[in-house]
Amino acid sequence: MAGKKASRPCHHCKSRSASAPADTSKIHYEKFWLYRHCSSVQQRDRQAQRAGQLFSGLLAMNVVFLGSAFISSMIFNNVAITLADVWILLSILKVLCLCWILYYLLGTSRQPHAVLYRDSHAGAIWIRGSVLLFASCSVLLNVFHIGYSTILIHCKSRVEILFPSIGILFICTQAYFLWHHSKDCIQVQHNFTRCGLMLTIATNLLLWLLAVTNDTLHIEIESQLREVDRRFGGSNETTLCTCPDMAICKVFQKGYILLYPFNTEYCLVCCSVLYVMWKNVGRRISHHHVPHTKPKFKLQGVVFGPLLGTAAVIIGICVFMMYQIQVTGLVPNRQVFVMYYSYYIVLLPLMSVGAVIGTIIHALEKKELDTLKNPTRSLDVILLMGAALGQIGMSYFSIVALVASDPRDLLNSLILSYSVLLIFQNITQNVFIIDGLHRQRFTPPGKEEEIRDKQSCEGYDQRRMSVLELGQEIRKASLSYIHSYSHLSWKRRVLREISFFLVLCNIILWVMPTFGAHPAFENGLERSFYGYSTWFVIVNFGLPLGVFYRMHSVGGLLEVYVTA
């Protein structure tokens, strides 16, 4: 009965079926006989796409290797290759990326039939919002850098003013480009667009690598010598070029150190969005794959998740403030580390239990998997698994160091428990998010029939419908929605509660390390076991990946919340 009802056209559309003109404004390549039956055309198209992806990927690989060689040479031999040399190379790459972005905005995207399709899954609102947030913080960071270098112009190079100035133009242009064109499936100039996107990705990766290196040096200085004015130890500039006793100079200095972590996040987020755009170059999306309704974020039906999550955020902020106050002394108080790790030991099991319950509910559901090709979802899975390796790797190094030293000590046992729980929490949360991302979106029972009726009537004149019929249709749809919402299954409610709770928990776990809570540097246990240089190399890559993992988990959990 349901199949017959869905196949019957609506009664007010029958009179228009014969006279309705065909929609010829869009190009449907799959309807051409040559495209459907000539396999050589499709094969050449696939070969051209693979060749373009291979060439652009090789271009990005060579640029990344060249920049990495410069940055590595600066770190290990700062006499031959200085920081100014690295800035000059990155400035050249930024200018090239700016030229391509402007060409795309003013030329490529405005050509006829350039953007016939747009990927509805790409460029979610929270992803683009995070791009704007981190871009604003990065612009403010560069303003502080320019102001600080201008005050100390007598001992600073001109490059220290030129590099952040170009950075401001690059950040603003790239943020505008990603906000308006992140969903594009460009159909013209495939190879040139792929090369431009890959060049921009490589530039952002090099900026992230340089930012990670400088952030590590800042933390190293703060944790060991407590001198924020010293930069790149061993050079004469650290002793001769110090900040004068001026209020504006101190503001620039403190603001620069505070906003520095946001620059690393901005580069990583931009790389992920640009990669999705690169995968969508030349992609053709069938019209039946395009969702007819956009997901909306609503707080209906959730109570306990927001309450528990808000409590975790408030307690976390208090712990973070007390940690920052106590750790600023020359000798950090041991009790502040006990308080910090105790908070994590309480919160991480709750998050793990919630993720396990959510995964079990997903397994109990009789809900079909979404098997359609989705580059955005594939990238989300890769980023979640890759970014989680940062915290998991650091945790295993800590476990080995603590077990081999003195695991019966109170602080050592807390750090050991924290490391084990962190590994388990990352794994369970990844399973919950990835399983939720592959589930089809929940649609109330009355909505499916309503969507089919709208599709069957699409393209016809709706003005012939009488006011009485329109009122009956609206009342029928409203009653169906109220009935479906009142009988919403407990599984969907639990999933929404868990997802919202995990969103708030990941936000506070992102805020604490982003704004300066780095106990792995201050406690000194792992550093004394592995040695100063080795431990900083481990943390150099693990800590920024952990921060990025928390931020990206928020986006994935919001997607799971909406689909529920």
Side-chain angles (χ1 to χ4, degrees):
M1 294 297 293
K4 295 180 179 180
K5 189 174 182 180
S7 62
R8 185 176 68 251
C10 56
H11 64 277
H12 57 272
C13 299
K14 291 181 180 179
S15 61
R16 300 290 297 172
S17 60
S19 60
D23 187 8
T24 59
S25 60
K26 297 181 179 178
I27 299 178
H28 302 283
Y29 295 95
E30 64 273 8
K31 291 185 179 181
F32 288 116
W33 180 90
L34 181 63
Y35 185 84
R36 288 186 287 107
H37 294 84
C38 187
S39 59
S40 61
V41 175
Q42 300 182 30
Q43 185 176 2
R44 284 198 299 267
D45 183 53
R46 286 193 296 267
Q47 289 178 350
Q49 181 179 4
R50 292 171 182 171
Q53 291 178 348
L54 177 62
F55 180 78
S56 59
L58 290 174
L59 173 64
M61 183 183 67
N62 283 275
V63 173
V64 170
F65 281 157
L66 176 62
S68 300
F70 264 76
I71 295 175
S72 301
S73 301
M74 178 202 69
I75 295 174
F76 297 108
N77 188 2
N78 57 1
V79 177
I81 301 296
T82 62
L83 179 62
D85 298 328
V86 177
W87 280 346
I88 292 174
L89 174 64
L90 293 178
S91 297
I92 295 174
L93 293 176
K94 286 181 180 180
V95 172
L96 292 176
C97 293
L98 280 173
C99 293
W100 173 80
I101 292 175
L102 293 176
Y103 177 79
Y104 183 92
L105 295 175
L106 302 178
T108 304
S109 62
R110 298 188 179 185
Q111 291 188 12
H113 309 297
V115 186
L116 294 175
Y117 311 97
R118 290 175 66 84
D119 187 358
S120 60
H121 298 282
I125 186 61
W126 46 79
I127 296 295
R128 290 183 293 157
S130 62
V131 169
L132 291 184
L133 172 63
F134 296 142
S136 303
C137 295
S138 299
V139 168
L140 190 58
L141 170 72
N142 284 277
V143 170
F144 286 156
H145 191 181
I146 294 173
Y148 183 72
S149 300
T150 303
I151 294 177
L152 301 176
I153 194 64
H154 62 279
C155 59
K156 293 287 184 179
S157 172
R158 298 293 189 274
V159 182
E160 296 203 28
I161 299 178
L162 179 62
F163 178 73
S165 301
I166 298 176
I168 292 176
L169 294 176
F170 176 73
I171 292 169
C172 295
T173 307
Q174 183 175 244
Y176 176 84
F177 167 68
L178 295 180
W179 178 265
H180 290 281
H181 297 276
S182 59
K183 297 178 179 291
D184 289 359
C185 298
I186 198 72
Q187 302 296 323
V188 296
Q189 299 181 356
H190 293 174
N191 292 332
F192 188 68
T193 303
R194 288 192 182 100
C195 291
L197 288 169
M198 271 297 168
L199 179 63
T200 312
I201 291 175
T203 303
N204 281 280
L205 284 176
L206 292 177
L207 291 172
W208 170 77
L209 182 60
L210 181 62
V212 166
T213 305
N214 286 341
D215 187 37
T216 302
L217 294 177
H218 279 300
I219 299 171
E220 174 184 334
I221 294 168
E222 290 177 357
S223 62
Q224 190 177 26
L225 302 178
R226 309 296 173 183
E227 295 175 359
V228 295
D229 293 324
R230 172 182 167 181
R231 300 183 60 184
F232 300 101
S235 63
N236 295 329
E237 185 180 272
T238 57
T239 58
L240 299 178
C241 191
T242 57
C243 187
D245 190 11
M246 297 170 54
I248 186 65
C249 184
K250 293 297 182 183
V251 170
F252 287 148
Q253 187 184 45
K254 296 297 183 182
Y256 180 81
I257 295 176
L258 179 64
L259 294 175
Y260 205 93
F262 291 97
N263 193 29
T264 61
E265 303 303 314
Y266 172 74
C267 296
L268 291 177
V269 174
C270 289
C271 287
S272 62
V273 179
L274 289 167
Y275 176 79
V276 173
M277 292 185 64
W278 179 76
K279 293 289 290 184
N280 282 332
V281 172
R283 183 186 176 197
R284 295 161 185 164
I285 303 176
S286 302
H287 292 282
H288 63 275
H289 289 172
V290 179
H292 298 277
T293 57
K294 294 183 179 180
K296 296 182 179 179
F297 180 81
K298 297 181 180 180
L299 289 177
Q300 296 177 348
V302 289
V303 178
F304 299 102
L307 289 179
L308 293 176
T310 304
V313 170
I314 294 175
I315 297 174
I317 293 176
C318 296
V319 171
F320 171 72
M321 294 177 63
M322 295 178 64
Y323 176 86
Q324 287 294 90
I325 294 173
Q326 294 291 332
V327 85
T328 53
L330 294 177
V331 180
N333 189 359
R334 184 183 177 87
Q335 296 299 323
V336 71
F337 294 111
V338 174
M339 176 191 64
Y340 184 89
Y341 287 110
S342 298
Y343 171 75
Y344 270 83
I345 290 175
V346 173
L347 184 61
L348 291 177
L350 295 178
M351 297 175 64
S352 301
V353 171
V356 170
I357 294 175
T359 305
I360 294 174
I361 293 177
H362 278 153
L364 295 176
E365 280 186 319
K366 296 180 179 180
K367 192 175 180 181
E368 296 181 359
L369 296 177
D370 187 2
T371 57
L372 297 179
K373 183 180 179 181
N374 189 341
T376 305
R377 182 175 57 202
S378 302
L379 178 63
D380 288 337
V381 173
I382 294 174
L383 291 178
L384 282 173
M385 299 299 293
L389 295 178
Q391 289 184 329
I392 293 176
M394 288 181 58
S395 298
Y396 275 116
F397 278 103
S398 298
I399 290 172
V400 172
L402 295 170
V403 171
S405 56
D406 186 12
R408 291 173 294 182
D409 182 72
L410 175 60
L411 182 58
N412 289 7
S413 61
L414 289 176
I415 299 176
L416 181 62
S417 303
Y418 157 79
S419 301
V420 174
L421 292 173
L422 187 61
I423 294 173
F424 185 71
Q425 192 276 325
N426 276 263
I427 295 174
T428 55
Q429 181 170 274
N430 278 351
V431 173
F432 173 65
I433 295 176
I434 293 172
D435 196 10
L437 291 177
H438 285 82
R439 299 284 173 170
Q440 290 187 353
R441 195 176 306 278
F442 174 73
T443 304
K447 286 288 182 180
E448 296 179 357
E449 183 179 351
E450 180 184 351
I451 293 174
R452 287 195 298 266
D453 291 339
K454 288 183 180 179
Q455 293 174 355
S456 62
C457 298
E458 187 175 346
Y460 298 104
D461 190 359
Q462 299 294 333
R463 290 175 294 180
R464 293 182 177 271
M465 180 185 290
S466 64
V467 178
L468 179 61
E469 292 174 342
L470 179 62
Q472 291 176 352
E473 293 293 332
I474 294 176
R475 187 168 64 88
K476 185 187 299 183
S478 301
L479 292 176
S480 176
Y481 177 76
I482 294 173
H483 176 76
S484 61
Y485 178 76
S486 61
H487 291 81
L488 185 66
S489 68
W490 64 270
K491 299 177 183 177
R492 315 244 42 98
R493 293 181 181 178
V494 173
L495 284 176
R496 290 164 68 91
E497 298 280 3
I498 293 174
S499 300
F500 203 93
F501 169 71
L502 292 178
V503 165
L504 294 178
C505 291
N506 279 274
I507 288 176
I508 187 59
L509 295 185
W510 169 79
V511 169
M512 296 175 73
T514 300
F515 288 94
H518 305 123
F521 290 100
E522 274 82 11
N523 60 40
L525 300 177
E526 297 92 343
R527 185 176 60 188
S528 61
F529 182 83
Y530 290 105
Y532 192 85
S533 300
T534 304
W535 180 240
F536 268 92
V537 169
I538 297 171
V539 180
N540 185 19
F541 291 96
L543 185 61
L545 286 177
V547 173
F548 178 74
Y549 171 76
R550 293 300 174 187
M551 186 212 64
H552 196 71
S553 297
V554 171
L557 289 166
L558 287 175
E559 182 69 22
V560 175
Y561 177 87
V562 171
T563 56

